[in-house]
Amino acid sequence: MTCDHLVCANCNGRVSDGRCSVCRANRARLQGQQGPFAALSPAMLLALLAGLLAVALIARQALA
């Protein structure tokens, strides 16, 4: 999730604007949680998982 769509309960502004200290703290917390798959959408993750499953099934058939 990005902070572009989040609204701060403290100042009623977008968290991405960083109007108050609560916004800035939450924006920093969200940006600190960036992992290797953070930029991928859920649909892309499902496609990746389906692709890996297909490769595993093909490899199993080739070894049998």
Side-chain angles (χ1 to χ4, degrees):
M1 174 178 273
T2 63
C3 57
D4 294 336
H5 304 290
L6 296 177
V7 176
C8 178
N10 191 40
C11 68
N12 291 331
R14 289 190 323 218
V15 172
S16 61
D17 292 342
R19 292 183 186 176
C20 67
S21 60
V22 175
C23 292
R24 289 187 292 274
N26 283 323
R27 183 177 59 190
R29 183 181 57 84
L30 285 172
Q31 289 174 348
Q33 293 179 351
Q34 300 290 328
F37 299 109
L40 296 176
S41 68
M44 184 61 76
L45 287 174
L46 285 175
L48 180 63
L49 181 64
L52 289 173
L53 182 62
V55 169
L57 289 175
I58 291 170
R60 184 176 180 201
Q61 290 291 333
L63 293 176

Coordinates of all heavy atoms in Angstrom, one line a residue:
M1 N 0.8 -1.2 0.0 CA 0.0 0.0 0.0 C 0.9 1.2 0.0 O 1.9 1.3 0.7 CB -0.9 0.0 1.2 CG -1.7 1.2 1.4 SD -2.8 1.2 2.8 CE -4.2 0.4 2.0
T2 N 0.5 2.2 -0.7 CA 1.2 3.5 -0.8 C 0.5 4.5 0.1 O -0.7 4.4 0.4 CB 1.3 4.0 -2.2 OG1 0.0 4.3 -2.7 CG2 2.0 3.0 -3.1
C3 N 1.3 5.5 0.5 CA 0.7 6.5 1.4 C -0.1 7.6 0.6 O -0.6 8.5 1.1 CB 1.7 7.1 2.3 SG 3.1 7.9 1.4
D4 N -0.2 7.4 -0.8 CA -0.9 8.4 -1.6 C -2.4 8.4 -1.3 O -3.1 9.4 -1.5 CB -0.6 8.1 -3.1 CG 0.8 8.3 -3.5 OD1 1.5 9.1 -2.8 OD2 1.2 7.7 -4.5
H5 N -2.9 7.2 -0.9 CA -4.3 7.1 -0.7 C -4.8 7.2 0.8 O -5.9 7.1 1.0 CB -4.8 5.7 -1.3 CG -4.5 5.6 -2.7 ND1 -5.0 6.3 -3.7 CD2 -3.6 4.8 -3.3 CE1 -4.5 5.9 -4.9 NE2 -3.6 5.0 -4.7
L6 N -3.8 7.3 1.7 CA -4.1 7.3 3.1 C -4.4 8.8 3.5 O -3.7 9.7 3.1 CB -3.0 6.7 3.9 CG -2.7 5.3 3.7 CD1 -1.5 4.9 4.5 CD2 -3.8 4.4 4.0
V7 N -5.4 8.9 4.4 CA -5.7 10.2 5.0 C -5.4 10.2 6.5 O -5.7 9.2 7.2 CB -7.3 10.5 4.8 CG1 -7.6 11.8 5.5 CG2 -7.6 10.5 3.3
C8 N -4.7 11.2 6.9 CA -4.3 11.3 8.3 C -5.5 11.6 9.2 O -6.3 12.5 8.9 CB -3.2 12.3 8.4 SG -2.7 12.6 10.1
A9 N -5.6 10.9 10.3 CA -6.7 11.2 11.2 C -6.4 12.4 12.1 O -7.3 13.0 12.7 CB -6.9 9.9 12.2
N10 N -5.2 12.8 12.1 CA -4.8 13.9 12.9 C -5.1 15.3 12.3 O -5.6 16.2 12.8 CB -3.3 13.8 13.3 CG -2.9 14.8 14.3 OD1 -3.6 15.0 15.3 ND2 -1.7 15.4 14.2
C11 N -4.7 15.4 11.0 CA -4.9 16.7 10.3 C -5.8 16.6 9.1 O -6.0 17.6 8.4 CB -3.5 17.2 9.8 SG -2.7 16.2 8.5
N12 N -6.4 15.4 8.8 CA -7.3 15.2 7.6 C -6.6 15.5 6.3 O -7.3 15.8 5.3 CB -8.6 16.0 7.8 CG -9.4 15.5 8.9 OD1 -9.4 14.4 9.2 ND2 -10.2 16.4 9.5
G13 N -5.3 15.5 6.2 CA -4.6 15.6 5.0 C -4.1 14.3 4.5 O -4.1 13.3 5.2
R14 N -3.6 14.3 3.2 CA -3.0 13.1 2.7 C -1.7 12.8 3.5 O -0.9 13.7 3.7 CB -2.7 13.2 1.2 CG -4.0 13.2 0.4 CD -3.7 13.1 -1.1 NE -2.5 13.8 -1.4 CZ -2.3 14.5 -2.6 NH1 -3.3 14.5 -3.4 NH2 -1.2 15.1 -2.8
V15 N -1.4 11.6 3.8 CA -0.2 11.2 4.5 C 1.0 11.5 3.6 O 2.1 11.9 4.1 CB -0.2 9.7 4.9 CG1 1.1 9.2 5.4 CG2 -1.3 9.5 5.9
S16 N 0.9 11.4 2.3 CA 2.0 11.7 1.4 C 2.4 13.1 1.4 O 3.6 13.5 1.1 CB 1.7 11.3 0.0 OG 0.5 12.0 -0.5
D17 N 1.5 14.0 1.8 CA 1.9 15.5 2.0 C 2.8 15.7 3.2 O 3.6 16.6 3.2 CB 0.6 16.3 2.0 CG -0.2 16.3 0.7 OD1 0.4 16.0 -0.3 OD2 -1.3 16.7 0.8
G18 N 2.6 15.0 4.2 CA 3.4 15.1 5.5 C 3.1 16.5 6.1 O 4.1 17.1 6.6
R19 N 1.9 16.8 6.3 CA 1.5 18.1 7.0 C 1.9 18.2 8.4 O 2.3 19.2 9.0 CB 0.0 18.4 6.8 CG -0.4 18.6 5.4 CD -1.9 19.0 5.4 NE -2.4 19.1 4.0 CZ -3.6 19.3 3.7 NH1 -4.5 19.4 4.7 NH2 -4.0 19.4 2.5
C20 N 1.7 17.1 9.1 CA 1.9 17.1 10.6 C 2.9 16.0 11.0 O 3.3 15.2 10.1 CB 0.6 16.9 11.4 SG -0.1 15.2 11.2
S21 N 3.3 15.9 12.2 CA 4.3 14.9 12.7 C 3.8 13.5 12.5 O 4.5 12.6 12.3 CB 4.7 15.2 14.1 OG 3.6 15.2 15.0
V22 N 2.5 13.3 12.7 CA 1.9 12.0 12.6 C 2.0 11.5 11.1 O 2.3 10.4 10.9 CB 0.4 12.0 13.1 CG1 -0.3 10.7 12.9 CG2 0.3 12.4 14.5
C23 N 1.7 12.4 10.2 CA 1.8 12.1 8.8 C 3.2 11.7 8.4 O 3.5 10.7 7.7 CB 1.4 13.3 7.9 SG -0.3 13.7 7.9
R24 N 4.2 12.5 8.9 CA 5.6 12.3 8.6 C 6.1 10.9 9.2 O 6.8 10.2 8.5 CB 6.4 13.4 9.0 CG 6.2 14.7 8.2 CD 7.2 15.8 8.5 NE 7.0 16.3 9.9 CZ 6.1 17.3 10.2 NH1 5.4 17.9 9.2 NH2 6.0 17.8 11.4
A25 N 5.6 10.6 10.4 CA 6.0 9.4 11.0 C 5.4 8.2 10.3 O 6.1 7.2 10.0 CB 5.6 9.4 12.5
N26 N 4.2 8.3 9.9 CA 3.6 7.1 9.2 C 4.1 7.0 7.8 O 4.3 5.9 7.3 CB 2.0 7.3 9.1 CG 1.4 7.0 10.4 OD1 1.8 6.0 11.1 ND2 0.3 7.7 10.8
R27 N 4.4 8.1 7.1 CA 5.0 8.0 5.8 C 6.4 7.3 5.9 O 6.7 6.5 5.1 CB 5.2 9.4 5.2 CG 5.7 9.4 3.8 CD 5.8 10.8 3.2 NE 6.6 11.6 4.0 CZ 6.7 12.9 3.9 NH1 6.0 13.6 3.0 NH2 7.4 13.7 4.7
A28 N 7.2 7.7 6.9 CA 8.5 7.1 7.1 C 8.4 5.6 7.4 O 9.2 4.8 6.9 CB 9.3 7.8 8.2
R29 N 7.4 5.3 8.2 CA 7.2 3.9 8.6 C 6.8 3.0 7.3 O 7.3 1.9 7.1 CB 6.1 3.7 9.6 CG 5.8 2.3 10.1 CD 4.7 2.2 11.1 NE 3.4 2.8 10.6 CZ 2.5 2.1 9.9 NH1 2.8 0.9 9.5 NH2 1.4 2.7 9.5
L30 N 5.9 3.6 6.5 CA 5.5 2.9 5.3 C 6.7 2.8 4.3 O 6.8 1.7 3.6 CB 4.3 3.6 4.6 CG 3.0 3.4 5.3 CD1 1.9 4.3 4.7 CD2 2.5 2.0 5.2
Q31 N 7.5 3.8 4.2 CA 8.6 3.7 3.3 C 9.7 2.8 3.8 O 10.4 2.3 3.0 CB 9.1 5.1 3.0 CG 8.2 6.0 2.2 CD 8.6 7.4 2.0 OE1 9.6 7.8 2.7 NE2 8.0 8.1 1.1
G32 N 9.7 2.6 5.1 CA 10.7 1.7 5.6 C 10.4 0.2 5.5 O 11.2 -0.6 5.6
Q33 N 9.2 -0.1 5.1 CA 8.7 -1.4 4.9 C 8.9 -1.9 3.5 O 8.3 -2.9 3.1 CB 7.3 -1.6 5.4 CG 7.1 -1.4 6.8 CD 5.6 -1.5 7.2 OE1 4.7 -1.6 6.4 NE2 5.3 -1.5 8.5
Q34 N 9.7 -1.3 2.7 CA 9.9 -1.7 1.3 C 10.7 -3.0 1.3 O 11.8 -3.0 1.8 CB 10.7 -0.6 0.6 CG 9.9 0.7 0.5 CD 8.7 0.7 -0.3 OE1 8.6 0.0 -1.3 NE2 7.7 1.5 0.0
G35 N 10.1 -4.0 0.7 CA 10.8 -5.3 0.6 C 11.1 -5.5 -0.9 O 10.8 -4.7 -1.8
P36 N 11.6 -6.7 -1.2 CA 11.9 -7.0 -2.6 C 10.7 -7.1 -3.5 O 10.7 -6.9 -4.7 CB 12.6 -8.3 -2.5 CG 12.3 -8.9 -1.2 CD 12.0 -7.8 -0.3
F37 N 9.5 -7.4 -2.9 CA 8.3 -7.6 -3.7 C 7.3 -6.4 -3.4 O 6.1 -6.5 -3.8 CB 7.6 -8.9 -3.3 CG 8.4 -10.1 -3.6 CD1 9.0 -10.9 -2.6 CD2 8.7 -10.5 -4.9 CE1 9.8 -12.0 -2.9 CE2 9.5 -11.6 -5.2 CZ 10.0 -12.3 -4.2
A38 N 7.7 -5.4 -2.8 CA 6.8 -4.3 -2.5 C 6.3 -3.5 -3.7 O 5.2 -3.0 -3.7 CB 7.5 -3.3 -1.6
A39 N 7.1 -3.5 -4.8 CA 6.7 -2.8 -6.0 C 5.7 -3.6 -6.9 O 5.1 -3.1 -7.8 CB 7.9 -2.4 -6.8
L40 N 5.6 -4.9 -6.6 CA 4.7 -5.8 -7.4 C 3.3 -5.7 -7.0 O 3.0 -5.7 -5.8 CB 5.2 -7.2 -7.3 CG 6.6 -7.5 -7.9 CD1 7.0 -9.0 -7.6 CD2 6.7 -7.2 -9.3
S41 N 2.4 -5.7 -7.9 CA 1.0 -5.7 -7.6 C 0.5 -7.1 -7.2 O 1.2 -8.1 -7.6 CB 0.2 -5.2 -8.8 OG 0.3 -6.2 -9.9
P42 N -0.6 -7.3 -6.6 CA -1.1 -8.6 -6.2 C -1.3 -9.5 -7.5 O -1.0 -10.7 -7.4 CB -2.4 -8.3 -5.5 CG -2.2 -7.0 -4.9 CD -1.4 -6.2 -5.9
A43 N -1.8 -8.9 -8.6 CA -1.9 -9.6 -9.8 C -0.6 -10.2 -10.3 O -0.5 -11.3 -10.8 CB -2.6 -8.8 -10.8
M44 N 0.4 -9.4 -10.2 CA 1.7 -9.8 -10.7 C 2.3 -10.9 -9.8 O 2.9 -11.8 -10.3 CB 2.7 -8.6 -10.7 CG 4.0 -8.9 -11.3 SD 4.0 -9.5 -13.0 CE 3.8 -8.0 -13.8
L45 N 2.1 -10.8 -8.5 CA 2.5 -11.8 -7.6 C 1.8 -13.2 -7.9 O 2.4 -14.2 -7.9 CB 2.3 -11.4 -6.1 CG 3.2 -10.4 -5.6 CD1 2.8 -10.0 -4.2 CD2 4.6 -10.9 -5.6
L46 N 0.5 -13.1 -8.2 CA -0.2 -14.3 -8.6 C 0.3 -14.9 -9.9 O 0.4 -16.1 -10.0 CB -1.7 -14.0 -8.7 CG -2.5 -13.9 -7.3 CD1 -3.9 -13.5 -7.6 CD2 -2.4 -15.1 -6.5
A47 N 0.6 -14.1 -10.8 CA 1.1 -14.5 -12.1 C 2.5 -15.2 -11.9 O 2.8 -16.2 -12.5 CB 1.2 -13.4 -13.1
L48 N 3.3 -14.6 -11.1 CA 4.6 -15.2 -10.7 C 4.5 -16.5 -10.1 O 5.2 -17.5 -10.4 CB 5.4 -14.2 -9.9 CG 6.8 -14.6 -9.4 CD1 7.7 -14.7 -10.6 CD2 7.4 -13.6 -8.5
L49 N 3.5 -16.6 -9.1 CA 3.3 -17.9 -8.5 C 2.8 -18.9 -9.4 O 3.2 -20.1 -9.4 CB 2.3 -17.7 -7.3 CG 1.9 -18.9 -6.5 CD1 3.2 -19.4 -5.8 CD2 0.8 -18.6 -5.5
A50 N 1.9 -18.6 -10.3 CA 1.4 -19.5 -11.3 C 2.5 -20.0 -12.3 O 2.6 -21.1 -12.6 CB 0.2 -18.9 -12.1
G51 N 3.4 -19.1 -12.7 CA 4.5 -19.4 -13.5 C 5.4 -20.4 -12.8 O 5.9 -21.3 -13.4
L52 N 5.7 -20.1 -11.6 CA 6.6 -21.0 -10.8 C 6.0 -22.4 -10.7 O 6.7 -23.4 -10.7 CB 6.9 -20.4 -9.4 CG 7.9 -19.2 -9.4 CD1 8.0 -18.7 -8.1 CD2 9.2 -19.6 -10.0
L53 N 4.7 -22.4 -10.4 CA 4.0 -23.7 -10.3 C 4.0 -24.5 -11.7 O 4.2 -25.7 -11.7 CB 2.5 -23.5 -9.9 CG 1.7 -24.7 -9.7 CD1 2.2 -25.6 -8.6 CD2 0.2 -24.3 -9.4
A54 N 3.8 -23.8 -12.8 CA 3.9 -24.4 -14.1 C 5.3 -25.0 -14.3 O 5.4 -26.1 -14.8 CB 3.5 -23.4 -15.2
V55 N 6.3 -24.2 -14.0 CA 7.7 -24.7 -14.2 C 7.9 -26.0 -13.3 O 8.6 -26.9 -13.8 CB 8.7 -23.6 -13.8 CG1 10.1 -24.1 -13.7 CG2 8.6 -22.5 -14.9
A56 N 7.4 -26.0 -12.1 CA 7.6 -27.1 -11.2 C 6.9 -28.3 -11.8 O 7.4 -29.5 -11.8 CB 7.1 -26.8 -9.8
L57 N 5.7 -28.2 -12.3 CA 5.0 -29.3 -12.9 C 5.7 -29.8 -14.2 O 5.7 -31.0 -14.4 CB 3.5 -28.9 -13.2 CG 2.6 -28.6 -12.0 CD1 1.3 -28.1 -12.5 CD2 2.4 -29.9 -11.2
I58 N 6.2 -29.0 -15.0 CA 6.9 -29.4 -16.2 C 8.2 -30.1 -15.8 O 8.5 -31.1 -16.4 CB 7.2 -28.2 -17.1 CG1 5.9 -27.6 -17.7 CG2 8.2 -28.5 -18.2 CD1 6.0 -26.3 -18.4
A59 N 8.9 -29.6 -14.8 CA 10.1 -30.3 -14.3 C 9.8 -31.7 -13.8 O 10.5 -32.6 -14.0 CB 10.8 -29.4 -13.3
R60 N 8.7 -31.8 -13.1 CA 8.3 -33.1 -12.5 C 8.0 -34.1 -13.6 O 8.3 -35.3 -13.5 CB 7.1 -32.9 -11.6 CG 6.7 -34.1 -10.9 CD 5.6 -33.9 -9.9 NE 5.2 -35.1 -9.2 CZ 4.1 -35.3 -8.7 NH1 3.2 -34.3 -8.6 NH2 3.8 -36.4 -8.1
Q61 N 7.3 -33.6 -14.7 CA 6.9 -34.5 -15.8 C 8.2 -34.9 -16.5 O 8.3 -36.1 -17.0 CB 6.0 -33.8 -16.7 CG 4.6 -33.5 -16.2 CD 3.8 -34.9 -16.0 OE1 4.1 -35.8 -16.8 NE2 2.9 -34.9 -15.1
A62 N 9.2 -34.0 -16.6 CA 10.4 -34.3 -17.4 C 11.2 -35.4 -16.6 O 11.9 -36.2 -17.2 CB 11.2 -33.1 -17.6
L63 N 11.2 -35.3 -15.3 CA 12.0 -36.3 -14.5 C 11.3 -37.6 -14.4 O 12.0 -38.6 -14.0 CB 12.2 -35.7 -13.1 CG 13.1 -34.5 -13.1 CD1 13.2 -33.9 -11.7 CD2 14.5 -34.8 -13.6
A64 N 10.0 -37.7 -14.6 CA 9.3 -39.0 -14.4 C 9.4 -39.9 -15.6 O 9.9 -39.7 -16.6 CB 7.8 -38.7 -14.2

